[in-house]
Amino acid sequence: MFEFDQYLGFLAFLTILTIGFWLMIFLLTFVVPYWLIGNLREMFKERREAKRAELKE
């Protein structure tokens, strides 16, 4: 069915595809939510500090 070099190419393709799949799962479930939550926390912290500074003036 396959020659040996075609078999190796097919295995390389499946390996790269699998690594990409798990990398996307990791990014979408951990990295992106962590980044968004951290960004929102910083934004709210800056707004709160700006309101406190405005009230003190």
Side-chain angles (χ1 to χ4, degrees):
M1 186 172 121
F2 280 136
E3 292 182 20
F4 187 69
D5 58 344
Q6 289 177 323
Y7 179 68
L8 287 180
F10 181 68
L11 284 180
F13 170 75
L14 285 182
T15 303
I16 292 169
L17 183 74
T18 304
I19 290 171
F21 172 76
W22 288 114
L23 179 63
M24 288 303 298
I25 295 295
F26 172 72
L27 287 174
L28 291 175
T29 57
F30 294 107
V31 176
V32 172
Y34 180 79
W35 172 67
L36 287 175
I37 290 169
N39 193 16
L40 289 173
R41 277 187 184 170
E42 287 294 320
M43 187 176 65
F44 289 135
K45 188 176 179 182
E46 288 176 3
R47 285 185 182 180
R48 196 173 354 145
E49 288 176 358
K51 284 183 182 178
R52 285 182 184 169
E54 187 177 302
L55 289 175
K56 285 184 180 180
E57 290 178 359

